[in-house]
């Protein structure tokens, strides 16, 4: 019996040592750290949950020695790495400066809004609500307990209804603040001749291709550039001077000189696919003077050495290659769920340099690189098409056909390749789809149709013109963020608020009219009387 007990104690001790060693290896060296998670991660962070150091920037020593306030401040700073730019753009309604000072001490005791994790605690799925909010719905009472006394319209309203669709958001109220509601409170439901301005420009025929079809391409392109410059200088109301006209004429010639044709293609013979060459010849890439190597072998983009090109050829160029020209698109892509694993500030896999016995541990315990996510790994894979589960979505090539000139595939077809929820499927029965079909058939003006990308990846203003935001989450939650850049291109503010506040209408892809009315505009207008 004694020998048996000794054996059991020996086995228990051995297994304990092995278990502790494995856990310590995962913690300090590398390995499948999902086994160490203290709770399920939110859908927003699920695909990067193993890049722990992206959020937990403090080390073991700091965690043991620093105060809770300093640790909370460090984690809030980490949140800003990904979200600060978004908050700045939204003109954050509750910046931390609102909670500073002795007068706000009582408020901070109830709601310490200095730290993101006060409202957005991770790994606590049992209390986490939409938009990763982990506080009760009545959190607004901490500061606004007397709002019913101050505003007649709010008498009797529960604090659990503050964030109801169309009313208030904690951070982004850019389409809901009172002055904006009053300014646009009398808008029509459907604007006459509704056109998405930036979409219209991007889907209009290429100015270079249009000029090349004319008898005098240089004159045609120069005329366009002159008209564009006059619009830019519209405030001055002065005609273009001779010097400006000469510069624009020279610019027109330079643009046309860049255009490449099928005869100009430079690529190894094995990659000279006739269809690809034809598609490239009519693309924006060829019109801009970009030959095949510019994307497929960028290090040798000016080389004529076909052997060297073949040795360095990349059949599917990476995100980094695309970002050389499409920087804004690539940046926003890494901020959304499709590309967040490539965010430049995401913690890289740990590489532990060790000598002696520790080097053995470093060999066995390694972090695997995250790599592109597959559809089957997404938090909402139940709403995706089963046959798309093995598809990787961390690449531009997943949605785009770069050799082709039209963006129809990326605008609708690429989305429906994976997404299988009711909202997506009902798009094909919606007025939006009908308008898109009319535009494709030439019966509707450019920008009059509405695609998936128009709403979820809208074209936004930039320093020079506009670009398509590739962060498909940026205008998704709260959905009122979609009102200004998207909905109000075609609809009045009141209709937009009501439509987005109707879950069944959203699910039907807006096939009908709102079944409810949000009174926020009515209240704002009444206060103005």
């Amino acid at each position: 019996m004694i020998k048996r007990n000794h054996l059991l104690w020996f086995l228990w001790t051995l297994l304990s040592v092995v278990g502790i060693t494995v856990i310590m290896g995962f913690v300090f060296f590398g390995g499948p750290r999902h086994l160490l998670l203290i709770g399920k991660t939110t859908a927003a962070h699920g695909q990067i949950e193993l890049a722990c150091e992206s959020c937990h920037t403090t080390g073991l020593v700091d965690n043991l020695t620093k105060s809770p306030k300093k640790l909370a401040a460090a984690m809030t700073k980490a949140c800003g790495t990904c979200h600060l730019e978004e908050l700045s753009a939204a003109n954050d309604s509750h910046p931390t400066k609102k909670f500073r000072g002795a007068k706000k001490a009582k408020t901070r005791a109830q709601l310490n809004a200095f730290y993101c994790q006060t409202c957005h605690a991770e790994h606590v799925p049992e209390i986490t609500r939409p938009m990763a909010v982990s506080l009760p719905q009545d959190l607004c009472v901490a500061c606004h307990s007397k709002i019913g006394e101050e505003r007649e319209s709010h008498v009797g309203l529960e604090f659990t209804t503050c964030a109801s669709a169309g009313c208030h958001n904690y951070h982004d109220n850019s389409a809901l603040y009172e002055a904006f509601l009053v300014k646009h409170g009398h808008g029509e439901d459907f604007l006459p001749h509704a056109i998405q301005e930036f979409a219209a420009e991007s889907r209009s025929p290429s100015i270079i291709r249009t000029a090349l079809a004319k008898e005098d391409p240089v004159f045609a392109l120069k005329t366009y550039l002159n008209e564009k410059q006059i619009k830019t200088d519209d405030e001055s109301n002065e005609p273009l001077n001779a010097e400006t006209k000469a510069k624009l004429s020279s610019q027109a010639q330079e643009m046309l000189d860049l255009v490449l044709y099928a005869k100009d293609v430079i690529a190894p013979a094995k990659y000279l696919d006739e269809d690809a060459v034809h598609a490239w010849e009519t693309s924006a890439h060829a019109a801009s003077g970009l030959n095949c190597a510019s994307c497929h072998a960028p290090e040798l983009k000016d080389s004529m050495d076909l052997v060297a090109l073949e040795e360095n050829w990349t059949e599917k160029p990476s995100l980094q290659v695309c970002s050389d020209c499409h920087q804004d698109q690539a940046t926003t892509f890494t901020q959304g769920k499709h590309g967040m694993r490539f965010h430049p500030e995401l913690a890289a896999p740990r590489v532990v340099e060790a000598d002696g016995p520790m080097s053995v541990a470093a060999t066995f315990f390694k972090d695997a690189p995250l790599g592109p996510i597959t559809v089957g790994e997404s938090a909402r894979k139940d709403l995706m098409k089963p046959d798309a589960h093995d598809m990787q979505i961390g690449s531009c090539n997943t949605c785009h056909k770069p050799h082709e000139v039209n963006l129809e595939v990326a605008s609708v077809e690429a989305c429906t390749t994976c997404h299988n929820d009711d909202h997506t499927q009902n798009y094909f029965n919606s007025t939006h789809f009908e308008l898109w079909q009319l535009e494709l058939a030439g019966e509707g003006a450019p920008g009059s149709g509405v695609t998936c990308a128009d709403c979820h990846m809208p074209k936004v203003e930039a320093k020079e013109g506009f670009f398509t935001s590739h962060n498909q989450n940026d205008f998704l939650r709260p959905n009122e963020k979609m009102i200004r850049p998207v909905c109000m291109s075609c609809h009045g503010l009141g209709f937009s608020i009501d439509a987005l506040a109707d879950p069944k209408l959203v699910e039907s892809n807006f096939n009908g009219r709102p079944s409810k009315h949000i009174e926020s505009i009515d209240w704002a207008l009444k206060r103005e009387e």
Side-chain angles (χ1 to χ4, degrees), residues 76 84 87-88 90-100 104 107 111-116 119-120 139-144 162-163 167-174:
T76 294
L84 187 59
L87 288 176
S88 300
N91 192 18
D92 186 9
S93 301
H94 290 84
T96 56
K97 64 182 180 182
K98 276 193 174 185
F99 299 88
R100 299 188 187 281
K104 295 294 184 179
T107 299
L111 182 71
N112 194 343
F114 281 167
Y115 310 117
C116 300
C119 299
H120 303 283
L139 61 94
C140 303
V141 72
C143 301
H144 304 282
C162 300
C167 291
H168 303 285
N169 293 316
Y170 186 87
H171 290 296
D172 189 340
N173 287 285
S174 55

Side-chain angles (χ1 to χ4, degrees), residues 375 381-390 415-421 425:
V375 174
K381 65 180 179 181
D382 56 312
L383 298 178
M384 304 293 172
K385 292 182 177 178
D387 57 357
H389 280 195
D390 293 331
C415 307
T416 58
T417 298
C418 301
H419 292 271
N420 200 34
D421 56 281
Q425 295 305 313

Side-chain angles (χ1 to χ4, degrees), residues 179-188 488 493-495 521-522 525:
F180 189 76
L181 296 178
V182 171
K183 180 179 179 180
H184 299 278
H186 297 290
E188 301 178 59
M488 289 184 68
L493 177 60
F495 181 88
I521 290 181
D522 303 335
L525 291 173

Side-chain angles (χ1 to χ4, degrees), residues 19 22-23 26-27 30-39 49-50 52 365:
V22 170
I23 292 173
F26 291 167
V27 171
R33 290 192 285 182
H34 64 276
L35 300 172
L36 306 177
L37 292 176
I38 60 174
E49 64 184 6
L50 299 186
C52 307
F365 297 102

Side-chain angles (χ1 to χ4, degrees), residues 45 75 259 272 277 359 373 378 384 394 460 499 505:
H45 297 145
M75 186 166 286
V259 179
L272 284 176
V277 172
S359 64
I373 190 174
S378 66
M384 304 293 172
V460 294
L505 187 62

Side-chain angles (χ1 to χ4, degrees), residues 111-138:
L111 182 71
N112 194 343
F114 281 167
Y115 310 117
C116 300
Q117 55 271 32
T118 297
C119 299
H120 303 283
E122 262 293 4
H123 306 299
V124 284
E126 64 277 5
I127 62 170
T128 301
R129 298 185 291 108
M131 288 181 287
V133 177
S134 52
L135 282 184
Q137 283 183 285
D138 62 353

